[in-house]
Amino acid sequence: MKLLGISGTILGAKTSVLVKAILEEVKQRHPDVEIDMLDLRDYQIEFCDGRRMDDYNEDTRSAIAKVTQADFYVIGSPIFNSSIPAPLKNLIDLIPSDVFRHKVMGFTANGGTYQHYLMIENQLKPIAGYLRAFVAPSYVYAHTTHFSPENEIQNEEIILRIRELADELVHMQYGLGRKLVKV
């Protein structure tokens, strides 16, 4: 069973820190779960324009393969202008929609105001619903002040939410891990 963490930005470090923290928590609490990370900062993913998969560059094909091979996901997003960043939306557009069907997704996000957490409810969860993914009810939202100047998580409530989301994702995956019959 493979959990893929996706850091959905090419800027900054906080999103990656959050996703990695959740992956590490899963690894510590559920050692039978294989974890992997897709940090978009490490890839030169081409713009989705409808061409055949074989015509995209190696980084794009590699990212698509990582997402396709995962059993469930934790997706991180910074919040720019009250929305998800273009690199994350581009990645989602590149993946055939049936890849996400009946798979568990959890979310983490970071932003500069306390109201930005609503982006998870109003944008990420509806996208997951459209893709027919099972969405973890909990999520982790971290404000800029929850990080140290070195981008370390320094807020106990955020650390607790990370633990809760890690357990929830694994619990849901085990509960829903059986293959559903597609109609």
Side-chain angles (χ1 to χ4, degrees), residues 75-98:
I75 299 173
S77 176
I79 300 169
F80 299 143
N81 297 316
S82 300
S83 186
I84 65 174
L88 178 56
K89 180 62 168 88
N90 185 55
L91 177 68
I92 292 167
D93 289 345
L94 284 162
I95 309 298
S97 61
D98 64 336

Side-chain angles (χ1 to χ4, degrees), residues 6-12 14-16 19 39-41 45 47 75-93 107-111 116 119-120 123-124 127:
I6 300 172
S7 178
T9 185
I10 57 174
L11 301 172
K14 290 177 179 66
T15 303
S16 182
V19 173
D39 190 331
L40 297 187
R41 296 177 302 172
I45 296 177
F47 188 73
I75 299 173
S77 176
I79 300 169
F80 299 143
N81 297 316
S82 300
S83 186
I84 65 174
L88 178 56
K89 180 62 168 88
N90 185 55
L91 177 68
I92 292 167
D93 289 345
F107 298 108
T108 185
N110 54 288
H116 274 137
M119 184 276 295
I120 296 169
Q123 293 180 32
L124 287 173
I127 291 170

Side-chain angles (χ1 to χ4, degrees), residues 4 6 53 63-73 91-92 94-105 131-134 179 182:
L4 179 65
I6 300 172
M53 284 300 156
I64 292 168
K66 275 188 174 226
V67 174
T68 302
Q69 294 163 6
D71 298 305
F72 62 131
Y73 311 92
L91 177 68
I92 292 167
L94 284 162
I95 309 298
S97 61
D98 64 336
V99 165
F100 296 109
R101 187 176 193 86
H102 299 146
K103 292 186 179 180
V104 175
M105 267 187 203
L131 297 170
R132 304 295 189 251
F134 295 113
K179 282 287 185 193
K182 291 188 179 185

Side-chain angles (χ1 to χ4, degrees), residues 102-146:
H102 299 146
K103 292 186 179 180
V104 175
M105 267 187 203
F107 298 108
T108 185
N110 54 288
T113 75
Y114 283 103
Q115 293 76 23
H116 274 137
Y117 76 91
L118 292 170
M119 184 276 295
I120 296 169
E121 294 289 344
N122 295 323
Q123 293 180 32
L124 287 173
K125 285 185 174 183
I127 291 170
Y130 172 78
L131 297 170
R132 304 295 189 251
F134 295 113
V135 180
S138 300
Y139 53 83
V140 176
Y141 175 75
H143 183 272
T144 305
T145 61
H146 295 140

